[in-house]
Amino acid sequence: MFETNYDVVVIGAGPAGLASAIEAKKVGAQKVLLVERDSDLGGILQQCIHPGFGLHIFDQELTGPEYAYRFIEQIKPLGIDVLLNTMVLDIHSDDNRIYAVNQEKGICNIGYKSLVLAMGCRERTRGAIAIPGTRPAGIFTAGTAQRYINMQGYMVGREFVILGSGDIGMIMARRLTLEGAKVKAVVEIMPYLTGLTRNKVQCLDDFDIPLYLKHTIVDIKGRNRVEKVTVSQVDDHLNPIKGTEWDIECDTLLLSVGLIPENELSRRAQVKLSPATLGPIVNQRMETSVKNIFACGNVLHVNDLVDNVTVESRVAGNYAGLNAIGKNFLIKKVAECLPGDGIRYIVPQRIEVTDEMQDVTLYFRVKEPARNVTLEILSKGQTIARAKRQKINPGEMEKMKIKASAIDKLGHELIVRVAEVKG
């Protein structure tokens, strides 16, 4: 068995893992290790060859591989160790060790002072949404199709229907069209877009691809390969409306029906998970309920922009590094962050008030779209932060900052809410 010890171990070398490992090293952790199950660094970014990354972090529009490369280039000069082709099997949080398997080293027993969970997320499949019909070939998740086309050069079909208006699905609608395929429809069960508005404009509207809101697929037909799908309108309870069905002929169905944080390892480490995000519950230092374990990126909650992942992961890496070199924080009180009117969830879920406080950014998603709204953060019945938005949408992350000067005055609860809607 291969045995070793590190100050900071990061599981996952996608955008979250890369940013947190770099930050942990910069803050003073001597030995930092990235553990990645794939054969390359960069995670999902390697297959995202479209532009749109880095506008906030680098003030440039980059492709996914270009964005990842900016961080990968910092790994070697900083002396961060990397274990590729390595699958983490278990986390023993009681004695600060992870167990993994590597094709060259075999079973690995790795000790840590701080552990960062950055495993990302996975796509929901047909089984998760239980679409009726036959079981033919030609059904893919949007991310799987993206990997086939962009990394392996394999075109997965010619005539497509896409279920779900998530970002990967809309981006793939454009990608398939550019490759000469015909995307006949994007079908979304919700009455609103679930991805970014900019992706609808650039990927659907610009290519005249129809989007059907409040519709879903109720049947898949085909013996060996998909031949057609049956689409139906849904009512306000998301149930299909009889008599509204029609068929769309196609040979491929792509599913873009949501992402799930990869938290099997988090559960094994006995980390408390949020029922709203399905990711760990964390404080403003991105520290979980288990001592010495931090979390960031899509394993924590599914983000819309990789730039937000980077900002959040730098926080996790910073405090994981400080924790590894023995920095302690004296907690004076804890304020629980609660979603109020119109808010689905908030990250971080708690703020621990200490002597050394910095500004805290709260990330949250709203429940439904609206225009000309006012967002508020309340504590002890008083408004401590307020922001106006021209529009809000469940598919786009919102964020608000609480100034350090206001944090010491917090009560034991703070509430984020949609306070006013003017139109």
Side-chain angles (χ1 to χ4, degrees):
M1 181 183 290
F2 174 73
E3 294 190 27
T4 187
N5 294 281
Y6 280 85
D7 293 326
V8 178
V9 174
V10 180
I11 304 176
L18 291 169
S20 59
I22 290 166
E23 205 65 25
K25 188 71 174 182
K26 286 182 176 179
V27 84
Q30 294 300 305
K31 295 184 65 180
V32 178
L33 174 68
L34 272 167
V35 181
E36 169 58 46
R37 67 184 177 184
D38 209 342
S39 57
D40 296 290
L41 300 174
I44 197 68
L45 290 175
Q46 298 291 7
Q47 68 186 56
C48 298
I49 63 173
H50 54 277
F53 301 90
L55 292 169
H56 301 283
I57 296 295
F58 297 113
D59 293 321
Q60 290 180 267
E61 189 173 40
L62 306 171
T63 65
E66 288 172 328
Y67 189 92
Y69 183 75
R70 297 287 181 98
F71 294 91
I72 292 170
E73 281 292 280
Q74 300 179 54
I75 296 298
K76 284 186 178 179
L78 287 173
I80 295 171
D81 291 339
V82 175
L83 271 179
L84 297 174
N85 299 306
T86 304
M87 175 70 74
V88 177
L89 304 174
D90 204 356
I91 299 171
H92 288 195
S93 54
D94 53 345
D95 60 355
N96 289 3
R97 305 202 72 82
I98 69 168
Y99 292 86
V101 60
N102 174 274
Q103 64 182 18
E104 295 177 358
K105 299 180 183 296
I107 299 296
C108 302
N109 178 346
I110 305 169
Y112 62 84
K113 294 178 182 176
S114 292
L115 179 67
V116 181
L117 306 175
M119 295 88 70
C121 59
R122 67 177 184 271
E123 296 177 281
R124 293 184 189 274
T125 63
R126 179 183 179 178
I129 57 175
I131 305 175
T134 55
R135 314 293 292 183
I139 303 172
F140 301 87
T141 62
T144 299
Q146 185 183 59
R147 186 176 183 90
Y148 276 134
I149 294 169
N150 292 348
M151 299 191 72
Q152 299 177 14
Y154 174 70
M155 191 64 179
V156 297
R158 302 307 304 174
E159 294 187 326
F160 291 80
V161 172
I162 299 175
L163 177 61
S165 62
D167 291 310
I168 302 175
M170 291 192 288
I171 288 165
M172 282 306 296
R174 175 180 62 186
R175 181 76 175 100
L176 293 164
T177 303
L178 292 173
E179 286 295 330
K182 176 65 175 177
V183 180
K184 293 190 169 180
V186 175
V187 180
E188 171 57 57
I189 194 170
M190 301 303 293
Y192 50 78
L193 194 71
T194 59
L196 294 171
T197 302
R198 76 180 193 194
N199 283 331
K200 175 182 179 295
V201 173
Q202 295 173 1
C203 301
L204 303 186
D205 297 349
D206 287 355
F207 293 90
D208 296 321
I209 297 171
L211 169 66
Y212 297 96
L213 298 176
K214 293 193 72 175
H215 285 74
T216 191
I217 291 174
V218 295
D219 196 9
I220 298 171
K221 299 175 181 177
R223 183 164 183 171
N224 297 318
R225 177 88 188 194
V226 174
E227 297 173 4
K228 62 179 68 173
V229 296
T230 302
V231 176
S232 170
Q233 293 182 31
V234 299
D235 60 24
D236 292 339
H237 301 289
L238 307 183
N239 296 314
I241 301 173
K242 290 185 177 181
T244 64
E245 304 91 349
W246 84 95
D247 289 341
I248 303 177
E249 292 186 357
C250 60
D251 61 23
T252 311
L253 172 64
L254 294 193
L255 305 178
S256 180
V257 291
L259 301 167
I260 306 169
E262 287 274 18
N263 272 301
E264 285 73 15
L265 287 174
S266 305
R267 292 187 184 93
R268 294 188 71 86
Q270 298 184 329
V271 169
K272 290 182 180 178
L273 303 182
S274 162
T277 65
L278 304 181
I281 294 171
V282 295
N283 59 30
Q284 79 275 13
R285 299 187 298 278
M286 300 298 149
E287 187 175 17
T288 71
S289 59
V290 177
K291 184 175 175 58
N292 303 321
I293 298 182
F294 299 76
C296 57
N298 286 348
V299 80
L300 182 60
H301 63 129
V302 176
N303 284 263
D304 52 353
L305 299 174
V306 72
D307 302 70
N308 289 339
V309 168
T310 297
V311 172
E312 183 180 274
S313 302
R314 283 172 170 169
V315 173
N318 176 76
Y319 285 108
L322 290 175
N323 180 72
I325 62 176
K327 175 68 174 177
N328 292 312
F329 295 92
L330 180 62
I331 301 170
K332 297 191 292 186
K333 62 180 174 182
V334 176
E336 302 292 339
C337 304
L338 305 176
D341 294 341
I343 305 299
R344 188 156 65 87
Y345 73 77
I346 307 166
V347 173
Q349 289 89 350
R350 59 205 316 252
I351 296 175
E352 295 179 351
V353 182
T354 66
D355 288 328
E356 304 174 46
M357 290 302 301
Q358 299 178 358
D359 295 351
V360 173
T361 300
L362 298 182
Y363 296 85
F364 55 94
R365 288 190 186 268
V366 299
K367 290 182 177 179
E368 56 188 23
R371 291 187 174 273
N372 300 317
V373 303
T374 301
L375 304 173
E376 283 186 340
I377 302 176
L378 307 173
S379 186
K380 295 195 276 191
Q382 302 295 316
T383 300
I384 59 172
R386 180 188 290 259
K388 293 186 177 181
R389 298 285 190 271
Q390 288 186 344
K391 67 179 183 65
I392 54 175
N393 186 64
E396 302 184 28
M397 189 75 66
E398 296 292 338
K399 58 184 178 181
M400 291 179 67
K401 184 176 289 186
I402 305 176
K403 294 291 187 181
S405 57
I407 290 175
D408 198 46
K409 303 171 185 176
L410 293 179
H412 293 292
E413 293 182 349
L414 64 83
I415 296 172
V416 180
R417 68 173 184 174
V418 178
E420 187 177 10
V421 180
K422 292 187 177 180

